[in-house]
Amino acid sequence: KVEEANRMKMTFLANMSHEIRTPLNAIVGFSQLLAETDNHEEKGEFVRIIEENNDLLLQIINDILDISKIDAGKMVFNYTDFDITEVIVDLKQVYESHLSPEVKLICHLPHKKYVINSEKNRLTQVITNLLNNAVKFTSEGSITIGYEVIPGGLAFYVTDTGKGIDPENLKRVFERFAKIDTFSTGTGLGLALGRLIMEKMNGSLMLDDKYTEGCRFVLTLPIK
């Protein structure tokens, strides 16, 4: 058990250092180029790349800190009453501005208002991560988000018509640092973190391996 724990620690540190170094190299490199150029178009492009990698670096650090908190039993969950329909409508408005014209965002909301008692921030965090992945890998077609009432709780789903996941990679999607597409940006921690958060909330996060038109993730949660 000690040897396995040490192996996992070294793997985690090796992956973490690589993931942090990638955006840092971009930030440092393009900051130097920005300081040296007088070309207005080049400056704009360099600033865009720096800002993009700033966001990626912040996401990596936040994901690592969140996973560390969960592993140490230090993550705080604050349960409150809130309208879940309103949360999803707000997310729809945010993400519609990020989509290309070839992609349509669809909402399936069975109730105009549905007040639940849950951890709003953590639930929104997991759904947001699923939407981020859907947007990243869907160039045309649609992304669908919704929920339905099930016995004892709710089932949320995010479905897309994107590139999908190859069958040989289906078992790896919830592994830490598992990046199925090595050419895409991201930490490879989002789905692992989402599943850990849902388990701490006595729920689950699953990939529907029978869905073949893209990806479909289902999140179930016991709800009062």
Side-chain angles (χ1 to χ4, degrees), residues 99-150:
L99 293 175
S100 66
E102 292 78 23
V103 181
K104 184 178 181 182
L105 184 56
I106 302 167
C107 267
H108 288 164
L109 302 172
H111 301 283
K112 290 184 178 179
K113 184 180 178 87
Y114 200 82
V115 177
I116 63 173
N117 181 270
S118 188
E119 219 295 359
K120 180 180 179 180
N121 291 335
R122 295 303 173 188
L123 179 57
T124 304
Q125 178 182 356
V126 178
I127 295 174
T128 296
N129 180 264
L130 296 177
L131 283 171
N132 285 340
N133 286 345
V135 170
K136 189 188 303 181
F137 296 114
T138 307
S139 57
E140 60 181 8
S142 64
I143 296 170
T144 302
I145 177 174
Y147 71 89
E148 58 186 26
V149 181
I150 60 174

